[in-house]
Amino acid sequence: MNTLGTPDSTPEVYTWLVDTSIPSTTIATREPSPTNDPTADFTFTSNEPAATFQCSVDGGAFAACPATFSTAALADGAHTLAVRAIDGAGNVDATPDTAAWTLDTAAPNTTITVAEPSPTTDSTGDFSFTSSEPGSTFECSVDGSAFLACTTPSSTAALADGSHTFAVRAIDAVGNVDPTPATATWILDTAAPNTTITVSEPSPTSDPTGDFAFTSNEVGATFQCSIDGGAFSSCTTPFSTAPLADGSHTIAVRAVDAAGNIDPTPATTTWIVDTSLPNTTIVTRPPNPSNSSTGDFTFSSNEAAATFQCSVDGAAFTACTTPFTTAPLVDGSHTFA
């Protein structure tokens, strides 16, 4: 109104909004836990569309952050994020939303706890293994093949004779892979060894203990012996039997290789022990007295294969055969043995 009492026909108008309500904050997407991503990724919203946000990582000071937010690279361990909305009137969410997660970028370690013996006759290799991180899964490789998912215990497919290698690596719950897989090498040997008797007791023999030596085509093989069809038992080369009775005897010897394969065709030999003394009989002899300067004799033994030694007038025994004639002798008494 002016001094004449006339009001202002265009009054100035100012409108404003009073907002004392506190915005709320919601973390919409968050970093999984555990994770091996050193930068954690989040998105958040507010019930007030125009709100801005402030973030705090691991208890640090709140600082402005966008609605799609990634942390700086963090160290392994437990981490927390707190985020609060601030509306256009400056009202600050007094109860920030929070998220906690664990960062794990350390690879697990793998240990083979049970391995296939070496050498072995088992065509499938059997293994057990563990990880330094509970909850790990495993991947296995045989003889350099691609790593494939496997569980413990694990058996290989049937393999051919020869050297083989098994490798296993752990993968922890966040996907970290052991860069140094645990390995084991073993030898599969399903081939039986061969046995050869190299030294045998002569036959016949007067030695009641038979003496033998033997070998195998596989270095490191051990041996089992059987006498006269008895049970096989461990023996070493050279080998002597216990004292045996007169008669025919047989030894069988088989090699057992380092993997436990047994020669299915033992080496054998047979010999005769004869410790009984032969008996000698003079069958024909010269008349006594005799006018022949040479004595003529025939003789025999109770053992058909016997040979003979003769002595005239106490001379040394020398080999002789029947019939036998002495050299010419002088007159007098003579003795034939």
Side-chain angles (χ1 to χ4, degrees):
M1 183 177 293
N2 60 23
T3 55
L4 298 178
T6 301
D8 186 348
S9 62
T10 58
E12 186 175 4
V13 178
Y14 175 73
T15 302
W16 73 100
L17 176 66
V18 175
D19 178 5
T20 61
S21 63
I22 303 298
S24 64
T25 315
T26 300
I27 296 176
T29 62
R30 59 190 67 207
E31 186 68 29
S33 183
T35 180
N36 61 1
D37 182 0
T39 60
D41 302 311
F42 300 88
T43 63
F44 15 85
T45 62
S46 172
N47 62 332
E48 297 197 26
T52 58
F53 300 95
Q54 291 181 336
C55 297
S56 166
V57 178
D58 293 337
F62 279 94
C65 57
T68 299
F69 173 73
S70 295
T71 69
L74 301 172
D76 279 13
H79 297 282
T80 57
L81 170 75
V83 58
R84 64 189 183 187
I86 304 173
D87 67 15
N91 297 299
V92 179
D93 186 351
T95 57
D97 199 5
T98 61
W101 73 102
T102 299
L103 173 59
D104 175 11
T105 61
N109 188 55
T110 317
T111 302
I112 295 174
T113 56
V114 176
E116 184 67 33
S118 183
T120 180
T121 59
D122 183 0
S123 60
T124 59
D126 302 311
F127 300 87
S128 294
F129 32 87
T130 61
S131 170
S132 57
E133 294 194 32
S136 293
T137 58
F138 298 93
E139 291 181 337
C140 297
S141 165
V142 178
D143 294 337
S145 63
F147 279 92
L148 298 174
C150 58
T151 57
T152 183
S154 177
S155 295
T156 70
L159 301 171
D161 278 15
S163 179
H164 298 282
T165 300
F166 176 80
V168 57
R169 64 189 183 189
I171 304 173
D172 67 17
V174 297
N176 296 304
V177 180
D178 185 352
T180 56
T183 62
T185 298
W186 75 106
I187 293 175
L188 172 59
D189 176 9
T190 60
N194 188 56
T195 316
T196 302
I197 295 174
T198 55
V199 176
S200 296
E201 183 67 32
S203 183
T205 180
S206 61
D207 183 359
T209 59
D211 301 311
F212 302 88
F214 29 86
T215 63
S216 171
N217 63 328
E218 293 198 28
V219 177
T222 58
F223 298 94
Q224 296 177 339
C225 295
S226 165
I227 306 298
D228 295 335
F232 279 91
S233 59
S234 295
C235 57
T236 57
T237 183
F239 173 75
S240 294
T241 70
L244 301 171
D246 280 13
S248 178
H249 298 281
T250 300
I251 183 174
V253 58
R254 64 189 185 188
V256 182
D257 68 18
N261 297 299
I262 299 175
D263 185 352
T265 57
T268 62
T269 189
T270 298
W271 76 107
I272 293 173
V273 175
D274 179 7
T275 60
S276 61
L277 298 177
N279 187 54
T280 312
T281 301
I282 297 175
V283 179
T284 63
R285 63 194 71 199
N288 187 17
S290 169
N291 62 1
S292 174
S293 63
T294 57
D296 300 312
F297 298 87
T298 62
F299 32 85
S300 65
S301 171
N302 62 330
E303 296 195 23
T307 58
F308 299 95
Q309 292 178 340
C310 298
S311 168
V312 178
D313 294 335
F317 279 92
T318 58
C320 59
T321 58
T322 183
F324 175 78
T325 299
T326 71
L329 301 172
V330 299
D331 284 6
S333 177
H334 296 281
T335 302
F336 173 77

